[in-house]
Amino acid sequence: GAYASNWPDVHLFPEQSVQAHLDLKGRTMMPVHNGTFDLSFHSWTDPLERVTDVAEKRGVTTITPIVGQRLSLENLPATDDWWSAVD
């Protein structure tokens, strides 16, 4: 989630992440290492807000587990905007 227009080669922007998911023909997108460290100039919640918004608009299913949450591939959790309660 650390991106900035003046260093575009460091991380993908949320929109680019969704496009990469589409290019790879993924089924469910799980943004990783978002909300772990505040390393850029954008707000802490911006990466997850933008990626889930763009994914929804593009028809991409996402899951956004809380950092450290255990997952089962047989029973993936629904996307939840947990970050809005933390910020």
Side-chain angles (χ1 to χ4, degrees):
Y3 45 83
S5 59
N6 57 338
W7 29 282
D9 299 327
V10 175
H11 278 112
L12 296 177
F13 283 75
E15 298 79 7
Q16 294 170 313
S17 297
V18 172
Q19 185 59 54
H21 175 81
L22 290 167
D23 291 347
L24 294 169
K25 298 178 178 40
R27 291 186 210 150
T28 301
M29 181 178 179
M30 183 175 74
V32 295
H33 69 80
N34 288 283
T36 51
F37 298 99
D38 189 5
L39 300 174
S40 187
F41 308 108
H42 53 69
S43 72
W44 178 80
T45 60
D46 186 68
L48 287 168
E49 290 169 353
R50 282 176 59 179
V51 78
T52 55
D53 182 56
V54 172
E56 183 179 335
K57 289 176 181 172
R58 308 256 343 244
V60 171
T61 301
T62 59
I63 60 170
T64 55
I66 296 172
V67 176
Q69 179 180 350
R70 297 181 82 176
L71 301 176
S72 166
L73 294 179
E74 289 80 35
N75 188 20
L76 293 175
T79 291
D80 180 30
D81 69 339
W82 57 266
W83 54 89
S84 62
V86 175
D87 189 34

